[in-house]
Amino acid sequence: MAAVSGIQSFKVALVQTSPKALDAEHNFAHASKQIRLAATQGASLAVLPEYHMTGWVPNEPSFALSYEEAQDFQRRYQQLAAEVHINICAGTIVYRAPDEDPNSKPTLLNTSYFIDHYGKLLGAYTKTNLWIPERDHLTSSIAYAHKMQVDEGTPKPHQVFDTPLGPVGILVCWDLAFPEAFRQLVLAGAKIIIMPSYWTLSDMSKEGLEYNAACEKMFVESTLTTRAFENTAAIIYCNAGGPSEQGYFGCSQVALPIVGKVPGSFTDGEDGMRVVDVDMRVVEIAERNYQIRKDLGRVDWHYGYVKGAKL
């Protein structure tokens, strides 16, 4: 891993893969190869897409891993991180919740992990805001917390982890549509927000595509820049790649306030890996000018945002 001096800047590897459906071993091997390559190119962090282990095939029985299988892949990513000395955000892994009645409908959780360059698991995040087709298959973090009765009152799904790169929060794909999720992370101190994603042009209906065939790409790119500006945060977005004729548009990127989309980011659905600079000095300059975090932290602030949890 390249040295991170005062977290002023670092390099992130955006691993924009096209997962092979239902072949977790193949996809892990491919991701591992890209992560090893990223480490040789000086990346301090590697980020993988949502559903990178099995793809989005929710009607297939093997779409979700068992809890034990998911734990095994998590440990293997930890071993890889320690071996090549790189931080890893391991996309998302879908798994069946443990200790459930085998005769009942399984609870499927879509979870992302942050692993530091020593191989230590620093935090995990289960997707909160499910895209409409996901709701027939997955359970959100809040619904699962209520089911397990792990929290009294309203659960706080958004957590910030102290990492070698600075305070990090994780959101996933459709979370992008909800500024409240970003606000919770920022209020808890996040300066870097990582977003694994599996977003395609076909997420819009045919009638919508008749107005703008690239509307989903527009949604993602414009909103990422907006979220970076309005939260004075670095947004690291890693989407699935794949053929354009199948609706993949990729556009994995780093978005910063002042700068917008950082040069070197993906512009299409190319299957590959790119190393992009993350200049955290820009985040500090933006905050000094906009003072958004300062306003949000005022005791007399007039909007009732809920603060996320700091681990």
Side-chain angles (χ1 to χ4, degrees):
M1 186 188 79
V4 180
S5 176
I7 320 301
Q8 291 187 345
S9 63
F10 62 91
K11 295 181 183 295
V12 59
L14 303 170
V15 185
Q16 185 171 278
T17 62
S18 178
K20 184 177 180 180
L22 307 177
D23 194 339
E25 282 293 345
H26 169 87
N27 294 325
F28 175 79
H30 179 67
S32 298
K33 181 179 179 180
Q34 296 296 324
I35 291 170
R36 291 179 185 279
L37 178 60
T40 67
Q41 295 182 15
S44 298
L45 170 66
V47 182
L48 298 166
E50 184 182 24
Y51 299 130
H52 78 284
M53 296 299 290
T54 57
W56 172 244
V57 281
N59 292 313
E60 294 291 337
S62 55
F63 163 63
L65 305 180
S66 69
Y67 176 73
E68 292 74 20
E69 289 171 327
Q71 290 286 293
D72 180 60
F73 280 114
Q74 174 199 306
R75 285 190 291 268
R76 289 163 71 179
Y77 275 124
Q78 289 179 258
Q79 292 167 357
L80 176 61
E83 178 188 342
V84 300
H85 209 54
I86 192 171
N87 300 280
I88 298 174
C89 178
T92 70
I93 298 176
V94 179
Y95 63 90
R96 296 185 291 276
D99 303 324
E100 289 199 314
D101 182 349
N103 297 316
S104 64
K105 181 181 178 180
T107 297
L108 305 186
L109 304 174
N110 188 19
T111 301
S112 183
Y113 306 90
F114 190 98
I115 300 162
D116 76 7
H117 55 272
Y118 295 111
K120 182 179 179 181
L121 178 66
L122 298 185
Y125 166 69
T126 297
K127 190 173 184 178
T128 299
N129 296 292
L130 301 181
W131 175 229
I132 296 162
E134 292 176 320
R135 298 172 193 178
D136 291 332
H137 306 280
L138 303 178
T139 298
S140 73
S141 61
I142 290 180
Y144 186 62
H146 283 310
K147 179 179 179 180
M148 302 303 292
Q149 299 180 332
V150 297
D151 280 302
E152 295 183 1
T154 302
K156 295 181 179 180
H158 301 299
Q159 300 175 342
V160 175
F161 321 122
D162 284 326
T163 80
L165 305 175
V168 167
I170 299 176
L171 297 173
V172 175
C173 201
W174 189 234
D175 285 331
L176 179 65
F178 299 91
E180 298 85 354
F182 289 80
R183 282 292 196 246
Q184 284 198 12
L185 290 174
V186 168
L187 282 164
K191 293 188 176 181
I192 302 166
I193 298 175
I194 302 173
M195 298 199 71
S197 182
Y198 192 100
W199 202 315
T200 70
L201 296 176
S202 58
D203 286 326
M204 173 53 64
S205 66
K206 290 183 179 179
E207 61 181 352
L209 293 174
E210 289 177 358
Y211 285 91
N212 181 358
C215 64
E216 296 305 292
K217 181 177 180 179
M218 178 186 289
F219 187 143
V220 167
E221 297 223 271
S222 60
T223 309
L224 286 170
T225 297
T226 299
R227 297 288 179 262
F229 270 89
E230 70 187 7
N231 293 289
T232 56
I235 313 295
I236 300 173
Y237 176 82
C238 189
N239 200 9
S244 59
E245 58 269 22
Q246 295 180 22
Y248 293 96
F249 63 85
C251 289
S252 298
Q253 63 186 268
V254 175
L256 295 174
I258 301 175
V259 174
K261 184 176 181 177
V262 174
S265 299
F266 284 88
T267 58
D268 56 21
E270 171 194 355
D271 188 325
M273 184 273 292
R274 293 191 181 185
V275 175
V276 180
D277 290 321
V278 183
D279 189 345
M280 295 302 295
R281 293 169 296 188
V282 175
V283 172
E284 300 304 325
I285 293 169
E287 176 58 26
R288 286 199 295 271
N289 281 269
Y290 301 143
Q291 298 186 16
I292 290 172
R293 293 167 182 267
K294 182 178 179 180
D295 277 340
L296 290 172
R298 284 167 37 193
V299 294
D300 63 340
W301 188 237
H302 39 267
Y303 296 114
Y305 292 115
V306 177
K307 183 177 180 179
K310 183 68 179 292
L311 294 186

